[in-house]
């Protein structure tokens, strides 16, 4: 079982980050099973924050289950162990659209804009997607006061 990481940061070649609004306008990150030979996956670590001018605003973060991927820049996941094979999961970043959401708010947290946040799953409590083509998760953010951009990184395991 190999572990991988992906971020929507500009250094990852992830396209243009989207400005936040009061509604979810797209996905910071997406993970979906490929159309051929999909594998089951487990998200075990999520890091979120903002990269704009600090102020006292809230940002709502959401991970939702999807059954189709968004139209976005496809990025190459990084293996946490360089000896592992390449990921089969399709990873997208900074989309201006969303995939088809089947279950909202699998993960939901409100965080002050001045703070970053990290969630690490307790063993056995990871966010799991099936070995089904195009099924996976999207990380989204919205804010009523902050209109800058946001950052996300997540780590997962393919089985």
């Amino acid at each position: 079982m190999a572990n991988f990481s992906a971020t929507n940061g500009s250094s990852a070649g992830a396209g243009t980050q989207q400005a936040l609004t009061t509604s979810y306008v797209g996905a910071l990150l997406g993970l979906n099973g490929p159309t051929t030979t999909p594998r089951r996956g487990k998200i075990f670590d999520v890091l979120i924050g903002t990269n704009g001018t600090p102020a006292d605003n809230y940002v709502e973060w959401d991970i939702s289950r999807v059954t189709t991927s968004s139209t976005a820049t496809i990025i190459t996941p990084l293996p946490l162990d360089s000896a592992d094979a390449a990921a089969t999961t399709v990873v997208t970043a900074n989309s201006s659209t969303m995939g088809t959401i089947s279950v909202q708010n699998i993960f939901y947290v409100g965080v002050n804009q001045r703070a970053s946040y990290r969630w690490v799953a307790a063993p056995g409590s990871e966010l799991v997607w099936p070995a089904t083509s195009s099924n996976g998760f999207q990380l989204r953010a919205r804010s009523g006061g902050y209109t800058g951009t946001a950052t996300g990184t997540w780590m997962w395991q393919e089985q």
Side-chain angles (χ1 to χ4, degrees), residues 1-5 77-87 156:
M1 293 181 282
N3 296 325
F4 299 93
S5 174
L78 301 173
L80 297 184
D81 180 343
S82 60
D84 285 333
W156 71 95

Side-chain angles (χ1 to χ4, degrees), residues 41-96:
K42 296 180 177 185
I43 298 172
F44 62 84
D45 201 334
V46 178
L47 298 99
I48 52 179
T50 61
N51 55 350
T53 305
D56 281 324
N57 295 303
Y58 69 89
V59 177
E60 294 174 274
W61 298 90
D62 164 81
I63 297 176
S64 291
R65 190 176 298 280
V66 294
T67 55
T68 61
S69 61
S70 61
T71 303
T73 302
I74 295 176
I75 60 174
T76 303
L78 301 173
L80 297 184
D81 180 343
S82 60
D84 285 333
T88 63
T89 305
V90 176
V91 182
T92 57
N94 300 320
S95 67
S96 58

Side-chain angles (χ1 to χ4, degrees), residues 24-27 66 68-71 95-101 138 140:
Y24 299 118
V25 294
V66 294
T68 61
S69 61
S70 61
T71 303
S95 67
S96 58
T97 63
M98 287 182 273
T100 303
I101 295 176
Q138 288 186 338
R140 309 178 299 166

